[in-house]
Amino acid sequence: MKVGFVHLGCSKNLIDTEATIGIFKKNKFEVVNNQTKADIIVINTCGFIDTAKEEAINTILEMAEYKKSNCKYLIVMGCLVQRYYEELIKALPEVDLFIKIQEYDKLWDKIENLINGELQEKIITKQSKKILDIPKMPMLTQEQFLNRTITTGENFAYLKIGEGCSNKCTYCAIPYIRGPFVSRKKEDILEEAKNLAKQGIQELIIIAQDTTKYGIDIYGESKLDELLEEISKIQGIKWIRFLYSYAEGITDQLIEVVANNKKIAKYFDIPIQHINNEILKKMNRRTSKKQIENLINKIRQKIPDVIIRTSLIVGFPGETKDQFEELLEFVKQTKFDKLGAFTYSKEDGTPAARLTNQIHGNTKKARYNKIMQLQKEISKRNLESKINKQYEVLVEHISFDGKYYIGRTMQDAPEIDGLVYIKNENQKNLIGKFIKCKVAKVSGEYDLIANA
């Protein structure tokens, strides 16, 4: 039988998709990229914010149309299922099997039962809406991690070091969906990293909902700095970066490791979300404006060439014009290298959803546009400072017309940051290679054009 996959959501969810592909391959199924040729369609959903939920539902309905004439089984898994299991079973009878995240350790058992003709269990158990009542989710098994099929190409792969989140930010549904933070054992992570290196992967991107929490639950303290050092010793791995590190968890030891280890990208992804102290408190964030400012200054002093990325939420309930202007001024003064913004999304069951003074959608959109326009100008000026400087670039693609190779510097995370376009003058095959380039000019607000 042939199976096709539709992946929705973040890089952490992507690893679950890759593990599921690996399970089907292990059981002798043929994986196809065209849903019209699939006997089974598997959709891994996101359920984080309203737009993601809408996309997931629309995708399920679209794939259900293919099922009418082409495929035998439609399977839906992921965050949307974990969050709205009961509602989905009632609303979407076209789906043959819903798999919750808490069932991922029995993934193949559920799928095999369906294919063998056993009916899906539709026993509905009410899930508590209190974050504290959500049980720990089972981690993918080590076998599932090791056998996953990498879908990000030959050069980089994501490496998940923990599952869930215990931060309980008032706007966020992740603890409802994924449970509290659970770390993987260090030896399991290292085994997977070595396995990826043997497959030719040159860059590892360490991910979790908050990577700075790694190890606290099993070792009694954060072990992210030690883990990064251990991974850097693996032969074949050239670049290492870690994403989503909360400000309060970034220690002096972690900064030192990043500063002194040549394999680790001088790159901090710090989702601060806001800078006004009152808003931070309403969000249940564990930092203040002063602490955030001090941390950024410390990192930049210790690592002069560091790249700092952040994410922000505009339009949080009760956000006043002055509080937004404070955030805008902070962005203007701090000059983040990379920045992503989101309009606040009112999520079922979260404490922030019950707050009064919800901001009008038009106001949220206007504030978002203002922040992003400012960041475009900052980004362009930051990139202009790189002209005539030399960087090492990992070449990953070639343009359709063959005129440019396309790659990234160590300062750019894949899929979210800018690209480097290298003029293809010598007609050599550079894909998968690290080459020295000199920046010639800026293209738009986020990309560079360089000469090899």
Side-chain angles (χ1 to χ4, degrees):
M1 296 178 76
K2 298 177 181 178
V3 57
F5 286 82
V6 181
H7 168 77
L8 304 171
C10 66
S11 53
K12 296 178 288 296
N13 207 34
L14 177 64
I15 288 177
D16 298 339
T17 299
E18 292 177 337
T20 309
I21 295 172
I23 289 170
F24 272 98
K25 283 187 172 180
K26 182 183 177 185
N27 287 278
K28 310 303 181 184
F29 283 74
E30 180 185 350
V31 177
V32 294
N33 291 324
N34 187 337
Q35 59 263 33
T36 64
K37 297 179 180 179
D39 300 302
I40 302 171
I41 295 176
V42 181
I43 306 169
N44 192 6
T45 61
C46 177
F48 184 41
I49 57 176
D50 284 342
T51 52
K53 289 182 276 188
E54 184 179 343
E55 180 187 22
I57 295 295
N58 288 338
T59 302
I60 294 169
L61 293 174
E62 181 185 352
M63 293 302 112
E65 287 299 311
Y66 286 107
K67 184 191 168 190
K68 290 179 181 178
S69 56
N70 296 295
C71 84
K72 297 178 181 177
Y73 303 110
L74 179 58
I75 299 172
V76 180
M77 57 189 287
C79 293
L80 189 77
V81 178
Q82 181 65 36
R83 194 171 180 191
Y84 297 109
Y85 181 71
E86 305 135 30
E87 294 92 331
L88 290 172
I89 283 179
K90 293 174 183 175
L92 296 167
E94 303 95 330
V95 176
D96 298 289
L97 177 64
F98 288 103
I99 306 177
K100 294 186 283 188
I101 291 167
Q102 65 194 62
E103 299 171 321
Y104 278 9
D105 56 341
K106 303 180 183 69
L107 255 175
W108 184 248
D109 292 340
K110 303 282 289 184
I111 294 165
E112 194 172 37
N113 285 345
L114 173 68
I115 296 168
N116 289 340
E118 296 181 28
L119 292 175
Q120 177 189 359
E121 292 181 11
K122 294 193 176 182
I123 300 171
I124 297 174
T125 54
K126 283 285 181 185
Q127 296 180 32
S128 170
K129 296 299 181 184
K130 293 182 180 180
I131 292 177
L132 292 176
D133 291 343
I134 297 294
K136 289 183 180 179
M137 295 294 165
M139 192 79 66
L140 289 173
T141 66
Q142 183 67 355
E143 182 184 11
Q144 288 170 338
F145 276 116
L146 293 176
N147 290 330
R148 67 188 174 100
T149 298
I150 304 304
T151 61
T152 48
E154 298 179 353
N155 298 314
F156 77 91
Y158 294 104
L159 181 61
K160 191 191 296 191
I161 62 172
E163 185 62 89
C165 187
S166 300
N167 289 331
K168 305 188 187 93
C169 301
T170 59
Y171 53 82
C172 184
I174 292 296
Y176 291 83
I177 301 168
R178 294 273 179 174
F181 189 89
V182 179
S183 302
R184 291 178 67 190
K185 293 178 182 178
K186 187 190 293 185
E187 53 267 33
D188 288 349
I189 297 169
L190 293 174
E191 182 185 15
E192 186 186 359
K194 290 172 184 175
N195 186 47
L196 291 169
K198 288 177 183 176
Q199 295 177 46
I201 297 297
Q202 301 182 89
E203 177 183 9
L204 290 180
I205 302 173
I206 313 302
I207 56 171
Q209 197 63 35
D210 177 1
T211 51
T212 63
K213 295 291 189 295
Y214 174 71
I216 292 175
D217 55 322
I218 53 179
Y219 303 119
E221 60 181 342
S222 177
K223 294 287 186 179
L224 179 60
D225 53 337
E226 292 182 17
L227 179 66
L228 292 172
E229 290 273 44
E230 288 294 319
I231 293 173
S232 73
K233 297 173 185 175
I234 297 173
Q235 190 174 359
I237 300 301
K238 183 151 185 177
W239 287 357
I240 302 164
R241 74 179 74 243
F242 59 99
L243 301 182
Y244 324 119
S245 50
Y246 282 43
E248 67 272 18
I250 297 175
T251 62
D252 290 346
Q253 296 97 312
L254 180 59
I255 296 171
E256 287 296 325
V257 166
V258 175
N260 297 320
N261 192 307
K262 291 181 179 179
K263 284 190 177 183
I264 300 173
K266 311 300 179 264
Y267 186 109
F268 281 85
D269 185 338
I270 312 171
I272 64 170
Q273 310 304 6
H274 215 282
I275 201 61
N276 174 267
N277 284 328
E278 185 179 350
I279 296 292
L280 289 170
K281 188 174 181 180
K282 285 183 179 179
M283 288 179 166
N284 196 32
R285 304 291 289 184
R286 292 166 175 77
T287 45
S288 67
K289 179 176 184 178
K290 192 66 179 174
Q291 289 170 325
I292 291 168
E293 290 175 334
N294 288 343
L295 175 65
I296 291 170
N297 290 334
K298 180 193 289 186
I299 292 173
R300 285 177 167 168
Q301 287 170 4
K302 295 277 188 180
I303 314 172
D305 58 344
V306 72
I307 297 296
I308 298 181
R309 179 183 179 86
T310 196
S311 59
L312 305 172
I313 295 174
V314 298
F316 188 80
E319 182 189 56
T320 65
K321 181 181 177 183
D322 287 345
Q323 289 169 335
F324 171 72
E325 291 295 333
E326 182 182 352
L327 177 62
L328 197 67
E329 182 61 24
F330 174 72
V331 171
K332 185 177 180 180
Q333 296 299 326
T334 306
K335 297 179 175 62
F336 287 101
D337 301 278
K338 325 277 186 181
L339 183 148
F342 302 87
T343 57
Y344 167 75
S345 177
K346 186 178 179 181
E347 293 303 307
D348 297 339
T350 60
R354 299 191 295 271
L355 293 175
T356 57
N357 299 323
Q358 297 284 329
I359 306 298
H360 192 278
N362 289 342
T363 302
K364 290 192 285 188
K365 188 174 181 180
R367 290 177 180 178
Y368 168 84
N369 289 338
K370 206 167 183 180
I371 284 271
M372 292 313 298
Q373 182 56 44
L374 173 60
Q375 182 58 29
K376 280 184 180 180
E377 296 164 8
I378 292 169
S379 176
K380 190 168 185 179
R381 287 197 296 271
N382 285 343
L383 291 179
E384 286 170 348
S385 70
K386 301 178 188 295
I387 292 174
N388 292 324
K389 292 182 180 179
Q390 198 172 60
Y391 294 92
E392 186 177 45
V393 174
L394 171 56
V395 180
E396 296 180 298
H397 309 285
I398 191 166
S399 61
F400 288 116
D401 59 12
K403 292 181 179 179
Y404 293 93
Y405 277 105
I406 305 170
R408 296 178 291 111
T409 70
M410 204 180 197
Q411 298 180 340
D412 297 293
E415 302 177 330
I416 55 174
D417 292 337
L419 300 168
V420 180
Y421 291 81
I422 306 154
K423 293 178 182 177
N424 182 17
E425 295 176 339
N426 55 20
Q427 301 299 314
K428 290 181 180 178
N429 182 12
L430 301 177
I431 294 176
K433 294 182 170 58
F434 292 84
I435 62 170
K436 295 284 187 181
C437 295
K438 188 176 183 181
V439 176
K441 59 182 179 179
V442 175
S443 175
E445 291 89 11
Y446 304 110
D447 300 329
L448 297 170
I449 295 177
N451 299 310

